[in-house]
Amino acid sequence: MPADLLRQIFGFDDFREGQQEIVQAVAHGRDVLAIMPTGGGKSLCYQLPALMREGVTVVISPLIALMRDQVRALREAGVAAGALTSGNTEAETDDVFAAIRDGALKILYMAPERLASGGTLPLLRRAGVTAIAVDEAHCVSQWGHDFRPDYLRIGELKQTLGVPLSAFTATADAETRAEIVTRLFGGTAPVTFLRGFDRPNIHLAFQPKDGPRRQIMEFVAARPGQSGIVYCGSRAKTETLATALNAAGHSALHYHGGMDPEARREAEGRFQREDGLIVAATVAFGMGIDKPDIRWVAHADLPKSIEAYYQEIGRAGRDGEPAETLTLYGPDDIRMRRAQIDEGLAENDRKGADHTRLNALLGLAEATSCRRVMLLAYFGDTAEPCGNCDLCQNPPRLFDATKPVQMALSAMLRTGEWFGAGHIIDVLTGNETDKIRQRGHDRLPTWGVGTNWSRPQWQAIIRQMMGRDLCRPDPSRHGALHITDAAHPILRGETQVTLREDSIRRAKPAFTPKMQVSEEDAPLLSALKAKRRALAEAQRVPAYVIFPDRTLQEMAERRPKTLDDMARINGVGAKKLESYGTAFLEVIAGEAAPMHPQRRALAGRPAGTLFDRLAETQQRLARGQDGTEKPLSCSTSQLRRIAETRPASRDAMSRLLDEARLDRFADAFLDDIASL
């Protein structure tokens, strides 16, 4: 049954890796925690079980845009879904209440904030809720980077309704996972699926800032016509960068939390509907954007943590096709992120944890070998070198940094671990400042011992030391660097350390963008996208709701000639075949022959071939064997039932046909069934 629904409703022949076991556990009423990579198909893992069970599944999801998009996509696939959000019109809310009242709803989306309303629990009881699904479950955790207090009510809702709960997220380290279990499942361990964090289709790349505007513009120029996001550290930068992109001939807009709500909705809508649009945005943009064909994500400024980085780049390539990332970073970014942590209101242990998370991101930026190995190791995964990151493709030059690292660690210790990187570098390079003289640090044994390295080189060395967790900022000492246990063997000369030679020279691109299809198929793909856009604009829905890029690429490559061929394309379910199959077939093969709705329901299935054989036999015998008898035929509904049930005997056939049709067609129909 799950496989049948997967094909019939969603149009997929097979589950993605890891989906089937999760679907079965959720469908069987188990409590489930699933950590799956972005683009790994999390939503299907609660949508499909909702169709397999009685009653309504309520989905708690964090952003209105995400819920509205998923409801649109489900309705396009023929699923009775609705959402109760603050963005609803009165008519939309009335429709949802009517569907609940009539018992016609299968999936109900709502924001966690709605759980604070006194009327929500009685509503869910009347709706007949039999399961709860929680999307972006890391929001329940104080350690999660998108903490939402209203998520804390979900565990109470589960207990009150007495129904199973499934929780899904893409980014949850061990601390976050433990808190999810406590908050949502009451400490009782759910069935946990840790499906890995790897997104092998995403190319990872970092560059030190060296004219960051130019670096971003060159990156975008090398990828014409592709949808992408440029994340910026400030609202002002989103506006200036979008202006520069438009001036350079790219279609771009900006997005940030300070915009008017209507302008933000318009920006989100355009990005979802239009191919090749670029958004320069703050991190306020993204979690609610369910667009599978974003081809790249660039960071014009360093993200705030490795979890934030991973979630933000995870918005690219959700369709599984090749996608690219570029992250720029520099000393100013690091100072800004440190200040945000230190100036926050969190307790010192939380600040320390946030500095450690930022250190992990710096370690990734300054990595000496495969970035994917280091990234996955942070989340507890192991991997072999990927061949799909800038360091695998262009290994960096390394040097034995044991001596300068020992110097830096010694300077930190001799200054009492009370100072930040700037003061430590002044000591090492012999830069006599007022602070140095006042504290007598010009008389330390480490004074001026590092003059063989320039200030930028020392900055790079200390960045890499923090990335290796050899030193950390101490929130209780206003970000002063203190050494960690891992540094002591290096100080004692027991362990060597190898670092990258940091260069601020202009970086050369190390990755050639891949075309979505072959050069031969590119014009057809463009025509299919034009048809998709026209249909999407007419219905005012995102383009991918019609078909995702991956489905159009398969159409362009396989070039189906009939609706049966079209039904075998991944992503073309029965409802979408009925709604759009003929329109896209006409783009590919010209005018398509009409097909009866009863036959179209069997498209792409063995029963469809049998239906055609039965129809031919019926036509041949319409006037009997000798062509002289009274005309007689079966209805298309009868032919469909025979094709689907494949009766194996005349007796079984008699339950589908009356006596006259049984005498005329039964033996020949049984021969057709046996031959296929």
Side-chain angles (χ1 to χ4, degrees):
M1 182 177 177
D4 293 340
L5 285 172
L6 184 70
R7 173 73 248 183
Q8 195 71 8
I9 303 298
F10 298 97
F12 299 120
D13 290 326
D14 298 300
F15 288 100
R16 296 186 190 178
E17 184 178 357
Q19 281 184 322
Q20 189 167 8
E21 297 86 351
I22 298 172
V23 166
Q24 289 174 340
V26 175
H28 290 157
R30 307 289 299 278
D31 284 341
V32 168
L33 171 60
I35 294 90
M36 304 171 69
T38 301
K42 294 189 294 296
S43 59
L44 185 135
C45 291
Y46 54 79
Q47 291 171 352
L48 188 58
L51 305 181
M52 297 167 61
R53 66 161 63 89
E54 297 295 322
V56 174
T57 293
V58 61
V59 181
I60 311 297
S61 187
L63 286 183
I64 292 172
L66 181 69
M67 291 187 274
R68 294 177 73 88
D69 290 346
Q70 292 203 359
V71 167
R72 276 198 293 258
L74 284 166
R75 287 177 175 171
E76 281 292 328
V79 177
L84 291 175
T85 77
S86 59
N88 279 23
T89 64
E90 186 175 343
E92 287 172 333
T93 299
D94 288 345
D95 287 345
V96 174
F97 285 150
I100 290 173
R101 188 172 56 251
D102 297 341
L105 203 65
K106 289 301 296 180
I107 301 178
L108 174 63
Y109 284 81
M110 63 173 54
E113 289 76 11
R114 197 174 185 94
L115 299 181
S117 167
T120 298
L121 183 59
L123 172 73
L124 296 180
R125 282 180 166 148
R126 287 198 307 273
V129 169
T130 55
I132 300 170
V134 182
D135 204 4
E136 306 293 349
H138 62 270
C139 295
V140 78
S141 171
Q142 295 282 356
W143 298 106
H145 52 281
D146 293 302
F147 173 61
R148 301 276 286 259
D150 289 289
Y151 265 65
L152 302 178
R153 296 188 176 92
I154 299 173
E156 181 180 342
L157 177 68
K158 167 183 164 53
Q159 297 301 320
T160 303
L161 292 177
V163 298
L165 183 147
S166 52
F168 299 85
T169 183
T171 50
D173 58 16
E175 288 172 315
T176 303
R177 293 199 295 272
E179 192 166 359
I180 289 172
V181 171
T182 300
R183 302 278 194 184
L184 294 183
F185 299 97
T188 302
V191 180
T192 300
F193 297 91
L194 187 57
R195 289 307 181 201
F197 297 87
D198 194 11
R199 295 284 304 283
N201 61 311
I202 297 181
H203 181 269
L204 306 177
F206 284 72
Q207 288 179 11
K209 286 186 175 179
D210 177 22
R213 171 78 64 83
R214 172 188 50 75
Q215 288 171 286
I216 292 293
M217 298 299 285
E218 289 179 350
F219 181 82
V220 173
R223 293 148 184 85
Q226 295 184 5
S227 293
I229 303 172
V230 185
Y231 282 112
C232 305
S234 69
R235 295 175 177 180
K237 184 178 284 190
T238 67
E239 298 181 11
T240 58
L241 189 54
T243 300
L245 287 165
N246 280 304
H250 305 288
S251 180
L253 50 82
H254 69 274
Y255 184 104
H256 57 69
M259 294 167 58
D260 178 82
E262 184 58 37
R264 291 203 305 271
R265 283 193 291 272
E266 175 61 23
E268 289 173 346
R270 281 191 60 193
F271 186 63
Q272 291 170 313
R273 290 193 303 270
E274 296 181 24
D275 287 326
L277 189 63
I278 298 166
V279 177
T282 61
V283 294
F285 182 83
M287 187 188 289
I289 300 301
D290 193 16
K291 182 179 172 70
D293 56 345
I294 299 170
R295 295 271 62 85
W296 55 263
V297 169
H299 283 90
D301 301 295
L302 189 72
K304 67 178 183 179
S305 69
I306 201 163
E307 288 90 349
Y309 164 78
Y310 192 62
Q311 186 173 72
E312 287 152 20
I313 67 167
R315 285 156 194 158
R318 296 181 63 173
D319 54 7
E321 296 300 303
E324 301 170 71
T325 68
L326 173 66
T327 303
L328 303 181
Y329 64 101
D332 289 343
D333 294 314
I334 299 168
R335 280 192 288 272
M336 175 189 72
R337 294 302 184 194
R338 297 287 186 212
Q340 287 175 338
I341 295 170
D342 290 335
E343 293 169 11
L345 301 177
E347 298 295 326
N348 281 339
D349 61 344
R350 175 62 188 268
K351 289 182 177 180
D354 287 343
H355 278 300
T356 299
R357 285 172 161 82
L358 179 58
N359 283 352
L361 182 58
L362 294 176
L364 184 64
E366 303 284 3
T368 59
S369 58
C370 177
R371 295 195 193 276
R372 199 173 311 274
V373 169
M374 178 174 284
L375 177 63
L376 296 180
Y378 176 84
F379 291 107
D381 270 7
T382 58
E384 297 297 321
C386 68
N388 196 32
C389 72
D390 54 348
L391 298 184
C392 282
Q393 292 164 345
N394 285 287
R397 289 187 299 175
L398 307 178
F399 74 106
D400 182 356
T402 306
K403 184 175 180 181
V405 167
Q406 287 174 328
M407 291 177 179
L409 293 171
S410 179
M412 292 173 200
L413 284 173
R414 291 179 184 277
T415 55
E417 298 179 288
W418 271 103
F419 299 92
H423 186 82
I424 298 302
I425 293 171
D426 285 337
V427 171
L428 292 168
T429 57
N431 183 27
E432 193 172 346
T433 66
D434 288 343
K435 188 190 292 187
I436 292 285
R437 286 192 298 271
Q438 289 167 6
R439 289 164 175 75
H441 290 168
D442 53 346
R443 297 189 296 275
L444 293 174
T446 48
W447 170 255
V449 297
T451 54
N452 287 340
W453 291 273
S454 67
R455 190 173 193 88
Q457 287 173 324
W458 274 116
Q459 289 171 335
I461 290 168
I462 292 175
R463 283 202 310 269
Q464 293 183 75
M465 289 171 62
M466 287 191 286
R468 296 289 189 89
D469 202 25
L470 302 179
C471 56
R472 297 180 188 174
D474 185 346
S476 66
R477 298 187 179 193
H478 310 291
L481 293 173
H482 69 95
I483 72 172
T484 66
D485 291 342
H488 291 292
I490 297 170
L491 268 175
R492 294 193 295 264
E494 299 168 1
T495 303
Q496 290 187 315
V497 58
T498 301
L499 299 180
R500 290 178 57 184
E501 288 187 3
D502 193 70
S503 173
I504 314 178
R505 293 194 304 271
R506 179 176 172 180
K508 296 180 180 179
F511 184 74
T512 302
K514 297 178 181 177
M515 294 183 67
Q516 288 184 277
V517 294
S518 69
E519 187 174 348
E520 179 184 356
D521 296 329
L524 176 55
L525 179 60
S526 296
L528 293 169
K529 284 187 173 182
K531 170 59 72 175
R532 178 181 67 177
R533 181 172 181 177
L535 290 168
E537 288 183 347
Q539 298 177 40
R540 296 197 63 79
V541 298
Y544 74 86
V545 168
I546 307 297
F547 286 124
D549 268 11
R550 194 170 188 172
T551 297
L552 297 190
Q553 290 167 35
E554 191 172 335
M555 288 183 193
E557 291 167 350
R558 293 176 56 179
R559 299 181 181 238
K561 294 182 174 61
T562 66
L563 286 174
D564 278 317
D565 294 339
M566 182 68 80
R568 297 185 184 100
I569 299 291
N570 262 304
V572 183
K575 181 70 165 56
K576 290 198 175 183
L577 184 73
E578 180 180 350
S579 300
Y580 309 119
T582 300
F584 282 88
L585 198 60
E586 287 174 352
V587 174
I588 299 166
E591 189 172 347
M595 182 179 280
H596 192 283
Q598 295 286 354
R599 171 62 178 86
R600 189 167 56 234
L602 306 178
R605 296 162 53 188
T609 304
L610 178 55
F611 181 104
D612 294 339
R613 181 74 64 85
L614 296 171
E616 291 172 5
T617 298
Q618 173 189 250
Q619 187 174 9
R620 176 171 55 82
L621 297 177
R623 286 184 171 273
Q625 290 285 0
D626 57 6
T628 62
E629 298 182 43
K630 179 182 177 181
L632 193 63
S633 65
C634 301
S635 69
T636 52
S637 296
Q638 287 175 315
L639 293 181
R640 177 181 172 181
R641 286 197 295 272
I642 294 169
E644 287 183 315
T645 60
R646 300 176 68 94
S649 66
R650 189 181 179 92
D651 181 63
M653 188 78 73
S654 69
R655 290 189 281 273
L656 302 174
L657 299 178
D658 58 29
E659 193 65 35
R661 287 171 176 78
L662 196 67
D663 289 338
R664 178 76 59 88
F665 303 118
D667 291 339
F669 282 176
L670 289 170
D671 288 341
D672 289 340
I673 293 168
S675 68
L676 289 176

